[in-house]
Amino acid sequence: MEGGFLLPLKMLWNKILELLIPPACLVCGNRIDDRYQVICPDCEAKLYLIGEGTCPVCGSENKELPCEVCAEGNFAFDSAISVFRYSGPVRDLIHILKYNGYSSPAGYFALPIAELIESKPVLKNYDYICAVPLHRVRKRERGYNQSDLIAYSVAKLIDMPYFNPVKRRINTLSQTLLSRDHRIKNLAGAFQVKNKNLVAGKKIILIDDVFTTGSTLNEIAKTLRSAGADKICAITVARA
């Protein structure tokens, strides 16, 4: 209850500070010319983009085929793509977005994801974008869903419809410290499709912040498949 009350105040205070204090890099604190840049050129130079040559299904940088990650994951989505490696300034920005009440990193991350989708003609033909949902209790504590902010911004940038067809019906334990097997057990039955008419026969882009083991994305993909989804592409800001 306390977190749900304090976080909106923290977000409001951050907005006031943004107006009163000259813009600074959210990662290192150095001055920047434009607050919409979010991070300074020095920190931006440390971002590690994931290039071509990844597994076409799970997006792993593993160069060996058949892909060992796919063999272990048995993924229900058709493909997974990540923009950055989860390290350095990207890791810091995601943490700031999730826990510090700053929403500006969402727009910062949305731009390269939008460019990624625009660069792949097959993805431009998908029906809509959705985000990995938070349980209502977790969302109330945090004040917002960071994946929702990113996905909504992406949809606006590329003029693609945005829906949330899946809800999180179980408030599961945090996945952060769990092993891969425990992550899978923790998520079993956690998601539910709200409206099958928004899913049946649809091509869906599913957006989240970080791909760690893929357990969360995979469980949602299974839920969407059971409701008749045709294609599912999972896109994350970063890959752990």
Side-chain angles (χ1 to χ4, degrees), residues 210-225:
V210 183
F211 186 116
T212 304
T213 64
S215 302
T216 301
L217 293 165
N218 196 41
E219 188 64 28
I220 295 173
K222 288 179 182 177
T223 304
L224 291 170
R225 288 284 190 207

Side-chain angles (χ1 to χ4, degrees), residues 155-171:
K156 286 294 184 183
L157 284 170
I158 62 175
D159 195 26
M160 183 177 282
Y162 177 75
F163 296 109
N164 274 323
V166 177
K167 69 176 181 179
R168 198 165 196 144
R169 66 186 191 89
I170 299 174
N171 189 19

Side-chain angles (χ1 to χ4, degrees), residues 24-30 32 37-40 42-44 46-47 87-96 105 108-109:
C25 173
L26 288 180
V27 175
C28 71
N30 287 338
I32 53 179
Q37 290 175 319
V38 179
I39 62 174
C40 67
D42 288 343
C43 287
E44 196 160 50
K46 297 175 185 175
L47 302 180
S87 62
V90 167
R91 182 181 58 234
D92 294 338
L93 278 179
I94 289 175
H95 190 276
I96 288 166
Y108 182 82
F109 289 139

Side-chain angles (χ1 to χ4, degrees), residues 59-122:
S60 168
E61 292 184 281
N62 176 25
K63 306 300 180 184
E64 299 295 326
L65 291 177
C67 176
E68 295 178 0
V69 179
C70 286
E72 292 179 0
N74 191 25
F75 296 121
F77 47 73
D78 296 280
S79 59
I81 312 168
S82 299
V83 179
F84 301 104
R85 186 177 288 174
Y86 187 59
S87 62
V90 167
R91 182 181 58 234
D92 294 338
L93 278 179
I94 289 175
H95 190 276
I96 288 166
L97 172 62
K98 291 176 74 170
Y99 304 115
N100 291 15
Y102 286 92
S103 61
S104 53
Y108 182 82
F109 289 139
L111 184 57
I113 293 177
E115 291 174 343
L116 171 69
I117 295 172
E118 290 281 271
S119 71
K120 297 182 180 295
V122 65

Side-chain angles (χ1 to χ4, degrees), residues 7-27 31-39 93 96-97 100-108 144 149:
L7 192 51
L9 290 180
K10 189 174 185 179
M11 293 176 69
L12 177 60
W13 179 240
N14 287 338
K15 293 293 184 184
I16 294 172
L17 289 179
E18 286 177 3
L19 294 175
L20 297 177
I21 300 174
C25 173
L26 288 180
V27 175
R31 287 283 301 273
I32 53 179
D33 296 329
D34 185 343
R35 68 179 75 256
Y36 293 106
Q37 290 175 319
V38 179
I39 62 174
L93 278 179
I96 288 166
L97 172 62
N100 291 15
Y102 286 92
S103 61
S104 53
Y108 182 82
Y144 57 89
L149 295 180

